[in-house]
């Protein structure tokens, strides 16, 4: 990394293209008018294939159905489902009527679901009946009585969902146009929950302007046009799927390809081959799983040109294989956070492999980034580590109904403080060097140990628990719980701890390793030394 220490660690993204000033619905209408007969959406799981004209009709049908249910601008509509065509219809339909779509993580258990339903004040919940081992319908019934604002439940394939579609068919398009005329690009239309350090997640609230422009900008840097076909095996409930995937596609007239409801390496490559995809998304663990398939060489991936790898750092060998064996010569690394819609920095199509594995690229168009001293807030010289901050159109409106938490994250100058430690070189490339707090990134999922620790504290045999991230080849990081047992109890095994957590917390937050100790390493002031625990964990696990 070349460094000119006389320069401050600040960069702003220039662009010849202006920001988009419309709502998501208006932007979609423009794409439909330009490319009515091109493929908009292919859902491999259900076999559905829609042109932009057909896609627009389905979106309008759901939008009119929601209006018929009494959903008004600003009302919160929750969606709890894996990837499928209907998820995308709901995404665009809620935006068309100015309702706020609340993404619910498919891995949530009942207490997380109940919290989100109440915190966001969700009045209408759209959900899949089940997925894998999760009985969504059963879990919703379990918490429904504790969620006073929830008045409508629409299960995909159920009678209430079918009635909504039938009502949409009878709805008046003039009513929809009238509602749409009252919307502003700055209206909130999406809430995405990010793990909270104090046990419960915070709802990052995003506007049309935030996510439409971020999706468009990411697509521009990938060189998207209407001939691109994007395989999206990453979840829609996260910005990666619904913004970098769906909105990047629809703002360019490209096609969204859903390989299946959840990630499966063979299904993803099968979709690329069958649909002639030009772009493929994933976290490094997904690409590793695809490359490891015994019959990998039998897939025809010759149409691939680009894609996005994000969520955690990419090992250099994996990047080389993605470029050489998958043909993704223009693959891009993106960095960001839900609170910034999400992408702040991105590698460019002509960046070297070295740049793509050692940095997270340069600042995106119309955005600013700086690296500051975490204590003083002063911008540090290039080459000096500090906290990465972002400012611009992408910064969220705030955390839903949590003005105090919003003020902690966004300062008076409208800079979003990421909590990530980073360093900037003289060309403006940013490298992430660590995290100020102890967040763990497992397979692209941000996990805050505090939430897991609070759950472990409810175990009758545990005196205390601390959770740290340890390096893992497959997921980037795994979780290890350090526990202190109550007197006279048997030491807790990893399996027993996992059994205790199962059903109480999302599966990706369940620790893989357990280490029983008498005392935690402490600082002189009585703070637990997680850095020392991580070092010790690495030694213990070899």
């Amino acid at each position: 990394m070349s460094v000119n220490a006389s320069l401050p660690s600040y960069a702003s993204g220039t662009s010849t293209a202006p920001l988009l000033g419309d709502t998501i619905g208006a932007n979609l209408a423009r794409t439909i008018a330009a490319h009515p007969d091109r493929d908009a959406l292919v859902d491999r799981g259900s076999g559905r294939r829609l042109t932009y004209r057909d896609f627009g009709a389905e979106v309008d049908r759901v939008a009119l159905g929601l209006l018929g249910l009494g959903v008004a601008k600003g009302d919160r509509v929750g969606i709890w489902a894996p990837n499928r065509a209907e998820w995308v219809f709901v995404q665009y339909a809620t935006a068309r009527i100015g309702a706020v779509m609340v993404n619910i993580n498919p891995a949530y258990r009942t207490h997380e679901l109940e919290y989100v339903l109440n915190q966001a004040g969700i009045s209408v919940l759209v959900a899949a009946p089940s997925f894998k081992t999760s009985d969504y319908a059963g879990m919703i019934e379990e918490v429904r009585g504790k969620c006073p604002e929830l008045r409508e439940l629409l299960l995909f394939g159920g009678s209430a969902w079918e009635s909504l579609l039938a009502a949409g068919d009878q709805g008046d398009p003039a009513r929809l146009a009238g509602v749409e005329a009252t919307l502003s690009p700055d209206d909130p239309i999406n809430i995405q929950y990010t793990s909270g350090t104090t046990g419960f997640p915070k709802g990052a609230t995003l506007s049309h302007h935030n996510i439409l422009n971020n999706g468009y900008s990411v697509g521009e840097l990938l060189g998207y046009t209407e001939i691109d076909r994007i395989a999206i095996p990453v979840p829609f409930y996260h910005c990666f799927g619904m913004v970098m995937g769906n909105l990047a596609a629809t703002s360019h007239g490209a096609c969204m390809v859903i390989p299946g409801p959840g990630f499966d390496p063979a299904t993803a490559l099968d979709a690329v081959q069958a649909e002639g995809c030009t772009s493929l998304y994933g976290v490094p663990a997904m690409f590793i799983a695809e490359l490891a398939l015994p019959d990998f060489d039998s897939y025809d991936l010759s149409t691939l040109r680009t894609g996005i790898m994000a969520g955690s750092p990419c090992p250099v060998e994996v990047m080389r294989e993605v470029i050489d064996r998958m043909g993704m010569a223009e693959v891009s690394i993106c960095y960001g956070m839900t609170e910034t819609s999400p992408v702040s920095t991105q590698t460019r199509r002509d960046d070297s492999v070295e740049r793509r594995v050692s940095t997270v690229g340069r600042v995106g168009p119309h955005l600013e980034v700086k690296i500051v001293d975490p204590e003083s807030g002063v911008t540090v010289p290039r080459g000096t580590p500090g906290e990465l901050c972002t400012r611009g159109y992408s910064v969220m409106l705030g955390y839903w109904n949590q003005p105090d938490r919003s003020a902690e994250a966004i300062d008076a100058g409208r800079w979003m403080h990421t909590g990530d430690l980073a360093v900037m070189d003289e060309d403006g490339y940013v490298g992430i060097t660590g995290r100020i707090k102890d967040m763990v990134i497992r397979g692209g999922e941000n996990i805050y140990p505090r939430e897991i620790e609070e759950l472990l504290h409810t175990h009758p045999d545990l005196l205390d628990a601390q959770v740290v991230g340890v390096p893992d080849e497959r997921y980037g990081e795994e979780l290890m719980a350090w526990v202190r047992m109550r007197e006279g109890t048997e030491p807790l095994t990893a399996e027993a701890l996992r059994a205790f957590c199962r059903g109480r917390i999302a599966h990706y937050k369940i620790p893989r390793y357990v280490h029983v100790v008498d005392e935690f390493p402490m600082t002189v002031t009585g703070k637990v030394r997680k850095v020392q625990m991580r070092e010790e964990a690495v030694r213990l696990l070899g």
Side-chain angles (χ1 to χ4, degrees):
M1 198 178 247
S2 53
V3 173
N4 178 350
S6 64
L7 286 172
S9 293
Y10 168 87
S12 62
T14 56
S15 178
T16 52
L19 284 168
L20 302 174
D22 30 309
T23 60
I24 287 168
N27 184 264
L28 178 62
R30 194 175 312 125
T31 299
I32 293 168
H35 310 289
D37 300 315
R38 292 201 77 90
D39 282 351
L41 180 69
V42 175
D43 180 2
R44 304 266 305 157
S46 67
R48 299 185 74 175
R49 183 179 296 273
L50 295 99
T51 62
Y52 266 99
R53 185 188 284 110
D54 299 335
F55 178 68
E58 286 297 327
V59 168
D60 287 4
R61 192 181 179 204
V62 175
L64 283 163
L66 289 170
L67 288 176
L69 271 186
V71 176
K73 176 180 169 179
D75 286 354
R76 272 78 65 209
V77 175
I79 183 155
W80 198 26
N83 290 11
R84 54 191 289 164
E86 290 86 352
W87 206 109
V88 192
F89 303 155
V90 172
Q91 176 184 346
Y92 287 81
T94 48
R96 282 211 67 184
I97 64 173
V100 181
M101 181 177 75
V102 184
N103 305 6
I104 303 174
N105 188 329
Y108 272 180
R109 312 316 294 167
T110 46
H111 85 283
E112 293 155 312
L113 172 67
E114 181 190 334
Y115 172 79
V116 164
L117 289 171
N118 285 323
Q119 205 277 329
I122 290 170
S123 56
V124 175
L125 176 60
V126 184
S130 63
F131 177 55
K132 291 184 178 170
T133 58
S134 294
D135 173 13
Y136 293 153
M139 284 193 270
I140 294 163
E141 283 312 314
E142 213 177 299
V143 303
R144 202 170 179 177
K146 302 179 230 172
C147 303
E149 290 183 65
L150 181 62
R151 60 181 178 83
E152 298 282 353
L153 171 61
L154 310 169
L155 293 175
F156 291 136
S159 57
W161 175 254
E162 295 304 325
S163 299
L164 173 109
L165 296 179
D169 288 331
Q170 304 304 312
D172 180 5
R175 184 181 177 197
L176 181 54
V179 169
E180 211 160 17
T182 69
L183 307 184
S184 156
D186 296 319
D187 292 335
I189 44 104
N190 185 215
I191 297 174
Q192 301 201 25
Y193 280 87
T194 69
S195 284
T197 45
T198 54
F200 277 110
K202 307 185 289 282
T205 307
L206 305 167
S207 67
H208 295 267
H209 192 71
N210 287 149
I211 60 176
L212 175 59
N213 276 293
N214 203 264
Y216 177 71
S217 169
V218 166
E220 284 290 283
L221 292 182
L222 292 170
Y224 282 164
T225 69
E226 69 275 9
I227 66 167
D228 280 291
R229 300 173 72 81
I230 309 162
I232 312 171
V234 295
F236 288 150
Y237 81 83
H238 194 276
C239 274
F240 199 169
M242 66 162 278
V243 178
M244 297 149 76
N246 299 344
L247 284 165
T250 59
S251 60
H252 288 89
C255 177
M256 302 165 275
V257 176
I258 307 173
F263 173 69
D264 173 80
T267 305
L269 295 188
D270 194 49
V272 171
Q273 175 176 274
E275 296 299 329
C277 293
T278 56
S279 179
L280 172 63
Y281 288 8
V283 298
M286 291 180 173
F287 286 102
I288 291 167
E290 288 155 3
L291 288 158
L293 286 171
D295 60 346
F296 174 84
D297 291 321
S298 70
Y299 290 94
D300 177 3
L301 308 178
S302 59
T303 52
L304 280 179
R305 164 182 75 80
T306 188
I308 296 176
M309 204 182 298
S312 55
C314 175
V316 65
E317 301 74 30
V318 177
M319 178 59 78
R320 286 194 205 287
E321 286 201 76
V322 165
I323 292 171
D324 297 341
R325 296 182 65 204
M326 298 180 105
M328 293 168 59
E330 297 175 13
V331 65
S332 184
I333 298 287
C334 291
Y335 162 84
M337 59 195 306
T338 306
E339 291 89 336
T340 56
S341 305
V343 178
S344 299
T345 68
Q346 185 173 352
T347 59
R348 306 313 200 246
R349 287 188 276 169
D350 54 356
D351 279 339
S352 66
V353 171
E354 172 54 30
R355 287 275 202 218
R356 291 186 241 192
V357 294
S358 63
T359 79
V360 289
R362 292 181 281 136
V363 66
H366 303 288
L367 294 173
E368 300 171 271
V369 294
K370 67 175 178 178
I371 295 171
V372 302
D373 180 305
E375 298 297 314
S376 68
V378 173
T379 304
V380 299
R382 298 214 178 179
T384 304
E387 183 183 15
L388 183 62
C389 300
T390 304
R391 181 166 70 179
Y393 75 80
S394 69
V395 175
M396 66 173 179
L397 301 176
Y399 292 119
W400 185 260
N401 280 348
Q402 291 187 299
D404 51 333
R405 308 303 293 281
S406 305
E408 285 169 19
I410 303 168
D411 68 23
R414 287 293 299 168
W415 286 97
M416 177 77 210
H417 288 252
T418 66
D420 284 322
L421 289 168
V423 66
M424 185 185 289
D425 73 7
E426 66 184 6
D427 298 319
Y429 284 82
V430 174
I432 304 295
T433 57
R435 295 184 291 285
I436 293 172
K437 299 216 171 76
D438 297 309
M439 184 174 83
V440 177
I441 302 181
R442 181 191 180 276
E445 292 283 358
N446 291 358
I447 302 169
Y448 288 85
R450 179 81 180 267
E451 186 182 357
I452 304 158
E453 289 160 4
E454 288 193 0
L455 174 66
L456 295 182
H457 280 147
T458 66
H459 192 295
D461 296 349
L462 293 188
L463 195 61
D464 199 356
Q466 295 288 332
V467 174
V468 295
V470 294
D472 181 79
E473 209 162 81
R474 185 170 176 204
Y475 292 108
E477 283 185 283
E478 265 291 3
L479 296 167
M480 181 182 205
W482 286 48
V483 297
R484 292 170 61 205
M485 307 302 299
R486 292 189 189 280
E487 223 162 298
T489 57
E490 288 294 316
L492 196 67
T493 64
E495 187 42 52
L497 179 129
R498 283 200 288 273
F500 173 77
C501 293
R502 220 168 276 135
R504 288 185 167 94
I505 200 161
H507 65 84
Y508 63 85
K509 299 176 188 171
I510 298 176
R512 180 172 173 188
Y513 306 106
V514 171
H515 181 42
V516 180
V517 292
D518 292 327
E519 295 295 338
F520 298 131
M522 308 288 259
T523 64
V524 185
T525 57
K527 287 188 180 150
V528 176
R529 297 206 63 235
K530 286 201 168 178
V531 173
Q532 193 179 324
M533 290 165 70
R534 271 192 290 271
E535 288 165 359
E536 178 70 4
V538 170
R539 192 186 62 73
L540 286 168
L541 298 168

